[in-house]
Amino acid sequence: MLFFRKPKVEAMSKSDIAAEIAAQHFWYHDIELADGAWTQGPFKHSVPATRALLERVEIKGQRVLDIGAMEGFFSIIACRREAKSVLATDRLNLTPKIDLIRRSLNVHFDYALMPGLSGISDAIKGQWNEKPDLIIYSGVLYHTLNPTGALVKLRSFMPENGLIIIETIATISDKPELALNADFKTYGPGNYYFPTTGWLGWILPFAGLSPIDCRYFTFNDNNGNKFCRIAICCMAISVPVLSSPPPDYVPPHKRWYLNDAKIDFGEYASISEFSSQSRSSINYKSTPTFSGLSSSELMANNNLLADPENSRLALFDIN
């Protein structure tokens, strides 16, 4: 794991910033680093729904972990909204771009290069010695070979009442299914599984993540298949199979499963990690419009729609 702390900030001219943007070539996000100087990253889908939820999180004074941050779009927002501290991570080494962003915008967040979730627990302990109040996990779930294991691992990073925003491609369906992107025909290589909203609605509480709000928008892929990009804000709750009493889906004659479940969960994190910190104080501005992830509730509620074009971060945007 490589850890890159914030550099000393020196004033940069617009022309210098524009030259450095051009020198870095490929960008993922579209971020304004000086008046009219944009990185012009073309990837928009993972931003709007996450951004709509982030507006409702009271970030000031909280610890924020941004996983799969790329150039730090959401880390910048967290800094501008006075987070206590921000740690951005990615499996790609984007250090030159991160340094340019921190220098040009004078934002202060730390950056750690990590190939996956396995090293993040140590990074959290090394950075804060406490768990983050908010995790942003936007545009990452479908890149994992084991989405369920990833969610269990993420829950182990969180204190109870902590929040996580999970954004992913999905299909709006009540069938709890996880579809393999066979031969990478929908998205290209590296995009493995696409969940249904029904799968998310079941698996999130199973992993101790209770959905409290969501935003989404629909789109068609190049083959004409209809998908949505959905971001779900979840609160960390007790993991049902690690708690007492047992969940309803474990009948008395199947109680042996609870011991097996501890082994299953323990494969991704030590059991003590799921309850090793007191509750977070972070707040979410509640919304009465969200009542669940069923397809009928999603499609009937226009208040849950995100603006798919809300993907550029201007010089003074704080949301």
Side-chain angles (χ1 to χ4, degrees):
M1 178 181 71
L2 294 178
F3 212 106
F4 304 96
R5 293 201 175 272
K6 54 199 175 193
K8 181 180 179 181
V9 176
E10 297 179 0
M12 299 182 66
S13 69
K14 176 180 174 179
S15 59
D16 288 341
I17 291 172
E20 286 206 39
I21 289 174
Q24 295 294 337
H25 302 295
F26 173 84
W27 290 80
Y28 187 89
H29 289 131
D30 197 5
I31 304 170
E32 188 179 23
L33 302 189
D35 185 18
W38 293 82
T39 59
Q40 298 185 18
F43 295 92
K44 298 180 178 181
H45 278 166
S46 65
V47 170
T50 298
R51 193 175 190 178
L53 289 180
L54 204 57
E55 292 183 18
R56 307 187 70 85
V57 181
E58 296 181 0
I59 291 176
K60 184 176 181 179
Q62 307 294 336
R63 294 180 176 88
V64 179
L65 173 63
D66 185 4
I67 300 174
M70 294 302 288
E71 298 103 3
F73 190 106
F74 299 115
S75 295
I76 296 167
I77 291 175
C79 289
R80 289 176 176 174
R81 291 177 55 193
E82 302 180 66
K84 182 176 183 178
S85 56
V86 180
L87 172 59
T89 76
D90 205 279
R91 63 185 181 182
L92 302 177
N93 189 351
L94 303 175
T95 310
K97 294 176 182 177
I98 295 290
D99 283 347
L100 173 59
I101 283 171
R102 292 186 294 196
R103 285 183 286 122
S104 59
L105 297 180
N106 194 19
V107 290
H108 306 288
F109 62 88
D110 289 312
Y111 173 68
L113 170 64
M114 279 180 248
L117 293 178
S118 58
I120 290 181
S121 181
D122 289 338
I124 292 170
K125 293 174 184 176
Q127 180 71 2
W128 297 318
N129 200 31
E130 290 186 74
K131 294 183 176 181
D133 301 287
L134 171 66
I135 296 176
I136 301 168
Y137 193 66
S138 187
V140 184
L141 187 66
Y142 48 88
H143 290 303
T144 64
L145 286 169
N146 183 349
T148 301
L151 293 174
V152 169
K153 186 71 173 175
L154 288 166
R155 173 61 184 86
S156 75
F157 298 157
M158 302 172 66
E160 287 204 20
N161 199 59
L163 299 178
I164 183 169
I165 296 176
I166 299 166
E167 191 277 346
T168 182
I169 184 177
T171 54
I172 297 178
S173 169
D174 292 330
K175 294 181 179 180
E177 297 177 342
L178 192 63
L180 176 66
N181 182 27
D183 297 323
F184 306 112
K185 290 182 178 179
T186 300
Y187 278 16
N191 301 272
Y192 301 109
Y193 289 99
F194 302 151
T196 62
T197 51
W199 183 88
L200 290 165
W202 194 91
I203 205 69
L204 290 169
F206 173 79
L209 300 168
S210 177
I212 59 175
D213 201 0
C214 81
R215 296 292 184 274
Y216 77 97
F217 63 92
T218 60
F219 70 101
N220 294 328
D221 72 356
N222 292 332
N223 298 315
N225 300 309
K226 191 167 187 176
F227 291 99
C228 74
R229 294 297 300 227
I230 187 167
I232 306 168
C233 184
C234 299
M235 178 183 294
I237 58 172
S238 296
V239 179
V241 296
L242 304 181
S243 306
S244 182
D248 292 340
Y249 52 80
V250 184
H253 67 287
K254 295 281 188 179
R255 293 298 160 87
W256 54 264
Y257 161 69
L258 298 175
N259 288 327
D260 282 11
K262 290 181 180 179
I263 297 172
D264 297 336
F265 274 69
E267 185 174 352
Y268 299 97
S270 67
I271 299 303
S272 63
E273 286 189 81
F274 292 94
S275 58
S276 60
Q277 183 178 320
S278 59
R279 291 168 60 88
S280 171
S281 63
I282 195 167
N283 290 314
Y284 187 86
K285 299 172 186 176
S286 62
T287 171
T289 59
F290 177 75
S291 57
L293 291 171
S294 74
S295 58
S296 59
E297 290 169 323
L298 289 174
M299 299 301 287
N301 196 339
N302 290 333
N303 291 319
L304 300 182
L305 294 176
D307 176 4
E309 299 303 316
N310 190 21
S311 59
R312 305 186 87 199
L313 185 61
L315 201 55
F316 300 107
D317 281 350
I318 61 171
N319 287 313

